[in-house]
Amino acid sequence: MLTCQSLSDDAAAYMDASLPAPRRLRIKAHLLFCPACRRYLQQLKIAMGLARHAATEPPPPEVEERLVSMFRQARRQDPPG
């Protein structure tokens, strides 16, 4: 069973489609029943998009990694309902 925590650990890889198909399918199934994780991914997508648009060049990978890390930390402090 996929947990909210494991989804947040794989969020960036899920969004850039670099996860293996079975893992992507488990995440998609989880998202059908978890509005908190859907919101989490939407917020992460917005933040990453803003970071990309704010720069004249694509941000270095460490910026994306830092954003993902910050979202994970916030999620641990405020777990889904």
Side-chain angles (χ1 to χ4, degrees):
M1 179 175 186
L2 184 77
T3 64
C4 296
Q5 182 60 49
S6 61
L7 182 139
S8 67
D9 291 343
D10 288 339
Y14 174 78
M15 290 178 16
D16 71 11
S18 64
L19 285 177
R23 185 74 175 165
R24 284 188 63 74
L25 290 174
R26 283 193 295 269
I27 288 174
K28 284 183 178 187
H30 179 85
L31 292 172
L32 290 173
F33 300 100
C34 187
C37 284
R38 287 194 305 267
R39 279 191 309 274
Y40 172 76
L41 284 180
Q42 184 62 28
Q43 291 168 347
L44 183 58
K45 181 179 178 180
I46 290 168
M48 291 169 67
L50 289 171
R52 285 186 186 109
H53 282 81
T56 55
E57 297 180 18
E62 58 268 14
V63 170
E64 184 173 312
E65 291 167 13
R66 178 72 175 136
L67 279 172
V68 170
S69 174
M70 289 168 50
F71 271 83
R72 282 185 192 140
Q73 183 178 3
R75 178 133 191 183
R76 287 184 188 114
Q77 293 172 356
D78 186 24

